[in-house]
Amino acid sequence: SERVALESGDVLVAFTDGLIEADDASDRDALFGEDRVREIVAEAAARGDSAEELTKRLAEAALAFSGQAHEDDITLVVMRRL
């Protein structure tokens, strides 16, 4: 097993496939995807958002992307080292 040390300000995000596989309500072939997750996490980290704020942003963005009609569960675990 490998260990990773989190430094002050680092963010760790774990999620189920329901997040990245949220599909666009108008184009079922378009998925929310890992790139959108990375972008939201990077922006939130740069702003200094809390883990709670980042969790909310990710969930709201995926639901908005899917037109509030998401069919799969989304589980998020977000930690930010203070």
Side-chain angles (χ1 to χ4, degrees), residues 9 11 40-49 54 80:
V11 177
I40 292 168
V41 170
E43 290 171 357
R47 276 192 309 268
D49 288 358
L54 176 53
R80 182 171 187 123

PDB file of all heavy atoms in Angstrom, residues 9 11 40-49 54 80:
ATOM      1  N   GLY A   9      -4.025  22.918   3.033  1.00  0.00           N
ATOM      2  CA  GLY A   9      -4.715  23.427   1.849  1.00  0.00           C
ATOM      3  C   GLY A   9      -5.028  22.370   0.811  1.00  0.00           C
ATOM      4  O   GLY A   9      -5.819  22.623  -0.103  1.00  0.00           O
ATOM      5  N   VAL A  11      -6.675  19.167  -1.058  1.00  0.00           N
ATOM      6  CA  VAL A  11      -8.051  18.678  -1.109  1.00  0.00           C
ATOM      7  C   VAL A  11      -8.042  17.247  -1.638  1.00  0.00           C
ATOM      8  O   VAL A  11      -7.353  16.943  -2.621  1.00  0.00           O
ATOM      9  CB  VAL A  11      -8.911  19.565  -2.046  1.00  0.00           C
ATOM     10  CG1 VAL A  11     -10.322  19.018  -2.160  1.00  0.00           C
ATOM     11  CG2 VAL A  11      -8.928  21.001  -1.559  1.00  0.00           C
ATOM     12  N   ILE A  40     -13.863  22.120 -11.336  1.00  0.00           N
ATOM     13  CA  ILE A  40     -14.576  22.631 -10.159  1.00  0.00           C
ATOM     14  C   ILE A  40     -13.693  22.515  -8.917  1.00  0.00           C
ATOM     15  O   ILE A  40     -13.634  23.443  -8.103  1.00  0.00           O
ATOM     16  CB  ILE A  40     -15.913  21.887  -9.970  1.00  0.00           C
ATOM     17  CG1 ILE A  40     -16.863  22.245 -11.117  1.00  0.00           C
ATOM     18  CG2 ILE A  40     -16.542  22.201  -8.619  1.00  0.00           C
ATOM     19  CD1 ILE A  40     -18.099  21.366 -11.208  1.00  0.00           C
ATOM     20  N   VAL A  41     -12.989  21.397  -8.765  1.00  0.00           N
ATOM     21  CA  VAL A  41     -12.112  21.212  -7.606  1.00  0.00           C
ATOM     22  C   VAL A  41     -10.979  22.234  -7.631  1.00  0.00           C
ATOM     23  O   VAL A  41     -10.666  22.853  -6.606  1.00  0.00           O
ATOM     24  CB  VAL A  41     -11.556  19.767  -7.551  1.00  0.00           C
ATOM     25  CG1 VAL A  41     -10.466  19.638  -6.501  1.00  0.00           C
ATOM     26  CG2 VAL A  41     -12.681  18.776  -7.277  1.00  0.00           C
ATOM     27  N   ALA A  42     -10.362  22.446  -8.785  1.00  0.00           N
ATOM     28  CA  ALA A  42      -9.261  23.409  -8.888  1.00  0.00           C
ATOM     29  C   ALA A  42      -9.726  24.825  -8.554  1.00  0.00           C
ATOM     30  O   ALA A  42      -9.039  25.560  -7.823  1.00  0.00           O
ATOM     31  CB  ALA A  42      -8.658  23.370 -10.289  1.00  0.00           C
ATOM     32  N   GLU A  43     -10.889  25.209  -9.076  1.00  0.00           N
ATOM     33  CA  GLU A  43     -11.423  26.546  -8.787  1.00  0.00           C
ATOM     34  C   GLU A  43     -11.729  26.705  -7.302  1.00  0.00           C
ATOM     35  O   GLU A  43     -11.431  27.734  -6.700  1.00  0.00           O
ATOM     36  CB  GLU A  43     -12.678  26.807  -9.610  1.00  0.00           C
ATOM     37  CG  GLU A  43     -12.406  26.972 -11.096  1.00  0.00           C
ATOM     38  CD  GLU A  43     -13.673  27.011 -11.937  1.00  0.00           C
ATOM     39  OE1 GLU A  43     -14.787  26.849 -11.382  1.00  0.00           O
ATOM     40  OE2 GLU A  43     -13.558  27.195 -13.167  1.00  0.00           O
ATOM     41  N   ALA A  44     -12.332  25.690  -6.711  1.00  0.00           N
ATOM     42  CA  ALA A  44     -12.691  25.745  -5.293  1.00  0.00           C
ATOM     43  C   ALA A  44     -11.443  25.782  -4.413  1.00  0.00           C
ATOM     44  O   ALA A  44     -11.391  26.520  -3.426  1.00  0.00           O
ATOM     45  CB  ALA A  44     -13.563  24.545  -4.925  1.00  0.00           C
ATOM     46  N   ALA A  45     -10.435  25.005  -4.785  1.00  0.00           N
ATOM     47  CA  ALA A  45      -9.192  24.999  -4.011  1.00  0.00           C
ATOM     48  C   ALA A  45      -8.500  26.356  -4.074  1.00  0.00           C
ATOM     49  O   ALA A  45      -8.000  26.862  -3.074  1.00  0.00           O
ATOM     50  CB  ALA A  45      -8.263  23.891  -4.515  1.00  0.00           C
ATOM     51  N   ALA A  46      -8.498  26.956  -5.257  1.00  0.00           N
ATOM     52  CA  ALA A  46      -7.863  28.270  -5.421  1.00  0.00           C
ATOM     53  C   ALA A  46      -8.584  29.332  -4.600  1.00  0.00           C
ATOM     54  O   ALA A  46      -7.954  30.270  -4.095  1.00  0.00           O
ATOM     55  CB  ALA A  46      -7.849  28.659  -6.901  1.00  0.00           C
ATOM     56  N   ARG A  47      -9.906  29.198  -4.466  1.00  0.00           N
ATOM     57  CA  ARG A  47     -10.690  30.161  -3.675  1.00  0.00           C
ATOM     58  C   ARG A  47     -10.577  29.888  -2.187  1.00  0.00           C
ATOM     59  O   ARG A  47     -10.964  30.711  -1.372  1.00  0.00           O
ATOM     60  CB  ARG A  47     -12.172  30.080  -4.061  1.00  0.00           C
ATOM     61  CG  ARG A  47     -12.573  30.873  -5.257  1.00  0.00           C
ATOM     62  CD  ARG A  47     -14.097  30.953  -5.377  1.00  0.00           C
ATOM     63  NE  ARG A  47     -14.738  29.653  -5.297  1.00  0.00           N
ATOM     64  CZ  ARG A  47     -15.024  28.885  -6.349  1.00  0.00           C
ATOM     65  NH1 ARG A  47     -14.709  29.272  -7.558  1.00  0.00           N
ATOM     66  NH2 ARG A  47     -15.616  27.731  -6.188  1.00  0.00           N
ATOM     67  N   GLY A  48     -10.125  28.692  -1.829  1.00  0.00           N
ATOM     68  CA  GLY A  48     -10.059  28.325  -0.422  1.00  0.00           C
ATOM     69  C   GLY A  48     -11.375  27.829   0.138  1.00  0.00           C
ATOM     70  O   GLY A  48     -11.604  27.882   1.343  1.00  0.00           O
ATOM     71  N   ASP A  49     -12.255  27.327  -0.747  1.00  0.00           N
ATOM     72  CA  ASP A  49     -13.544  26.805  -0.300  1.00  0.00           C
ATOM     73  C   ASP A  49     -13.358  25.682   0.713  1.00  0.00           C
ATOM     74  O   ASP A  49     -12.394  24.908   0.636  1.00  0.00           O
ATOM     75  CB  ASP A  49     -14.353  26.248  -1.480  1.00  0.00           C
ATOM     76  CG  ASP A  49     -14.893  27.324  -2.400  1.00  0.00           C
ATOM     77  OD1 ASP A  49     -14.686  28.521  -2.128  1.00  0.00           O
ATOM     78  OD2 ASP A  49     -15.532  26.956  -3.404  1.00  0.00           O
ATOM     79  N   LEU A  54     -17.252  22.778  -1.326  1.00  0.00           N
ATOM     80  CA  LEU A  54     -16.884  22.043  -2.538  1.00  0.00           C
ATOM     81  C   LEU A  54     -17.850  20.899  -2.799  1.00  0.00           C
ATOM     82  O   LEU A  54     -18.267  20.678  -3.946  1.00  0.00           O
ATOM     83  CB  LEU A  54     -15.446  21.519  -2.430  1.00  0.00           C
ATOM     84  CG  LEU A  54     -14.968  20.648  -3.590  1.00  0.00           C
ATOM     85  CD1 LEU A  54     -15.171  21.327  -4.938  1.00  0.00           C
ATOM     86  CD2 LEU A  54     -13.512  20.264  -3.386  1.00  0.00           C
ATOM     87  N   ARG A  80     -10.464  18.524   3.199  1.00  0.00           N
ATOM     88  CA  ARG A  80      -9.498  19.599   2.955  1.00  0.00           C
ATOM     89  C   ARG A  80      -8.619  19.708   4.198  1.00  0.00           C
ATOM     90  O   ARG A  80      -9.114  19.885   5.297  1.00  0.00           O
ATOM     91  CB  ARG A  80     -10.190  20.920   2.689  1.00  0.00           C
ATOM     92  CG  ARG A  80      -9.172  21.989   2.389  1.00  0.00           C
ATOM     93  CD  ARG A  80      -9.810  23.274   1.910  1.00  0.00           C
ATOM     94  NE  ARG A  80      -8.733  24.140   1.495  1.00  0.00           N
ATOM     95  CZ  ARG A  80      -8.610  24.664   0.306  1.00  0.00           C
ATOM     96  NH1 ARG A  80      -9.508  24.427  -0.607  1.00  0.00           N
ATOM     97  NH2 ARG A  80      -7.599  25.426   0.015  1.00  0.00           N
TER      98      ARG A  80
END
